[in-house]
Amino acid sequence: MNHTNGPVPIRLDALNRWWLEHRVVVLAVFALNLLAFGYLFFTYIYSNHLFPNALDLGFPSYRTRLEGRWGADIIYRLQGGRGIPLLDLMLAVPIQIANGLLFARLFAIRDPLRLFLAAALISIHPYVSDYYAFAGDHLVLVLGDSFILLAFGLVQWRPRAWWAVAGAAFLFQAALSCYQPKIGLISTLWVLLLLGRLAAWDGTAAAFGRDARELFRHAVAIVAGAALYMLLLKMVQWWMGDPTAVSAHAATRLSTIGLSDLPHQLRWIRDVARQMLFESDFFGRGLAWLPGTLVLAFAATVLLRIWVVAPRGLAAATTIVLLLAVALLPLALYAPFVISREAYPAGRTLTPIVYLIAFAATLLMTPGWLRILRWPALAVALFLCYRYVLIDAETGHLAQLRTTYEFHFVNRLAARVEQVAADAPAPVERYALVAIGLPPTPPIVTPSVRSMRNFSNLSHKAFTWYRSIEGLNFLLGKDLLKHPTQMQVQRGLKNAEGRGVWPAEDSVSVLDDMILIVLEKPGDGVPVTMAAE
């Protein structure tokens, strides 16, 4: 049974035929994205990435120098050097829809209904909203997915060409240089390809061997791509200097796990995988098990099919492969957390599960499979789309409300800062700012889905930690404030003990060459403005 779908020559007439064949699906999914992400098309969302991503930081920027993300820097150059939400999102959404269609092609999904569902589930999952929560990284994050899908496609569509493996390795490197946690999507798609091949297996040893050789070529491309990325990273560090020696941010972003940390990380992965699959809060308490049940139903169906089509001995061996693939899924989904303890659990790092859910739902509807599962799988997929649109729309709506509130709040702070600076007995040209605590947030702007408060940058409180200075200077119209020294931070914390909390009159005050803002009393877990050194 041929799983490669044959060579894919790219010609204008082929592209025209593709558009005529898929335009209804593409336009329908784009309309769904407008319902889900409408607020994000036409406004800046005030988040901790607004100012750095909206400014042209030159090339190479900190993304290359400190984070090893030269792919992101190149994409920023191509999009004009800065983030413009309307432009970026109008390009990013169609690209993510195309990612869904590329994903479907990898698994020979061709009928319009399943194409629609694959593209919809992959483009409107609430974790994808975190791709769009930045003022400039929209294209970086969706193109990272595109590079990975094209890499797998290149190897699959050119099964006898080793140059395709080299090209795929380059694309995997490009994805990692956009955003290193894309290693999670790379490893997840490899496991899904293994599961997909088992699901389509005709029970013969010849087909098993052919699929094994294809998966081996994919694995070679992945390893080569990771090695190429590491080689280029070392070259960048040799050229620009080792950033981990001078930047705590770089040391965090480029850190790797130690053997002593591995048991802790594996336990964390086990717990998070269980929560995501069987305790999800996206569907209400009664349906928290829905994603996990979908995956288990797929695995059980594949297991049954293996024993139907294959001889007993071969079926037993293939069953072991199936069980190993299912066991590997949590490690693949959360591969960034296997590599680094500093990996950040946000929507953009958790998107591999988006592809897993789309995979299980659409393949359960494969023609010729158990009829008893096709209609329930369709119902579940449509229900998922419905819930995703509601969650996305609410998150975007509340992010817009929160943005309005926070801009007005910071404007009030700016007015107070301007006043105390003008009344200072010995004014200075620039003040170090020490802000303690987070601004109060009205309950109305809190998402009803608890996990979206943690996994989407759209619900991030931007002020205090390291964006307060940029935000206040922006509203003041001048560079009045600067980052404090560590000594000034300690002096601010000490002085805050005897002061009132915002909006008390003494919650904003001048202390010689620094301005102190007390939004909360100092304590464990209360954020404080980062020191300059």
Side-chain angles (χ1 to χ4, degrees), residues 132-400:
Y132 308 145
F134 304 90
D137 275 16
H138 310 58
L139 292 173
V140 171
L141 294 169
V142 297
L143 285 172
D145 287 15
S146 301
F147 295 150
I148 294 167
L149 291 160
L150 287 170
F152 280 109
L154 191 60
V155 173
Q156 183 186 110
W157 302 328
R158 292 291 188 271
R160 294 181 177 84
W162 279 97
W163 64 262
V165 174
F170 178 80
L171 288 169
F172 285 134
Q173 173 276 141
L176 294 174
S177 71
C178 285
Y179 193 57
Q180 293 95 332
K182 293 295 182 186
I183 190 65
L185 181 56
I186 292 172
S187 53
T188 297
L189 283 176
W190 188 89
V191 176
L192 293 185
L193 279 170
L194 171 57
L195 290 170
R197 296 301 174 256
L198 293 175
W201 183 45
D202 62 6
T204 65
F208 190 93
R210 182 173 60 246
D211 293 341
R213 287 190 295 273
E214 180 199 340
L215 289 163
F216 175 73
R217 288 193 297 272
H218 287 305
V220 169
I222 292 169
V223 173
L228 178 59
Y229 171 77
M230 292 303 299
L231 175 62
L232 292 174
L233 178 62
K234 292 297 183 184
M235 292 175 63
V236 168
Q237 291 177 347
W238 169 79
W239 177 36
M240 296 185 169
D242 182 3
T244 61
V246 296
S247 169
H249 173 71
T252 298
R253 290 297 296 258
L254 300 175
S255 66
T256 54
I257 198 171
L259 287 177
S260 60
D261 294 324
L262 190 57
H264 173 273
Q265 289 302 96
L266 293 177
R267 287 192 297 271
W268 184 89
I269 288 169
R270 177 201 63 196
D271 294 341
V272 171
R274 184 186 67 248
Q275 292 169 11
M276 296 289 181
L277 292 171
F278 298 101
E279 300 171 11
S280 173
D281 60 353
F282 284 173
F283 316 109
R285 183 170 298 178
L287 295 173
W289 43 264
L290 197 58
T293 302
L294 199 63
V295 174
L296 290 179
F298 170 80
T301 303
V302 173
L303 179 62
L304 176 62
R305 192 174 185 280
I306 287 171
W307 284 91
V308 168
V309 302
R312 185 177 296 272
L314 198 52
T318 309
T319 298
I320 294 174
V321 175
L322 172 64
L323 294 176
L324 286 173
V326 173
L328 280 174
L329 264 177
L331 295 177
L333 289 168
Y334 306 108
F337 305 91
V338 177
I339 295 171
S340 173
R341 191 167 182 171
E342 301 297 335
Y344 183 70
R348 58 194 177 278
T349 58
L350 300 174
T351 47
I353 201 169
V354 174
Y355 289 83
L356 170 62
I357 292 171
F359 170 84
T362 53
L363 263 70
L364 276 173
M365 289 184 280
T366 301
W369 280 31
L370 293 176
R371 287 180 177 271
I372 195 172
L373 289 177
R374 292 182 65 191
W375 284 106
L378 173 60
V380 169
L382 291 173
F383 175 72
L384 294 178
C385 291
Y386 158 73
R387 285 296 302 166
Y388 292 168
V389 168
L390 287 184
I391 294 169
D392 290 333
E394 182 203 45
T395 304
H397 165 64
L398 295 182
Q400 170 62 29

Side-chain angles (χ1 to χ4, degrees), residues 46-48 344 402 406 456-462 466:
Y46 184 45
S47 75
N48 64 322
Y344 183 70
R402 183 183 56 76
E406 286 199 7
S456 176
N457 204 67
L458 291 173
S459 58
H460 192 288
K461 292 180 178 179
Y466 56 99

Side-chain angles (χ1 to χ4, degrees), residues 450-481:
R450 181 174 294 275
S451 62
M452 291 302 289
R453 305 172 198 176
N454 304 321
F455 294 144
S456 176
N457 204 67
L458 291 173
S459 58
H460 192 288
K461 292 180 178 179
F463 193 76
T464 299
W465 193 24
Y466 56 99
R467 298 298 179 222
S468 51
I469 294 163
E470 292 160 309
L472 286 169
N473 282 340
F474 171 74
L475 292 172
L476 288 166
K478 57 184 177 180
D479 287 334
L480 178 67
L481 306 172

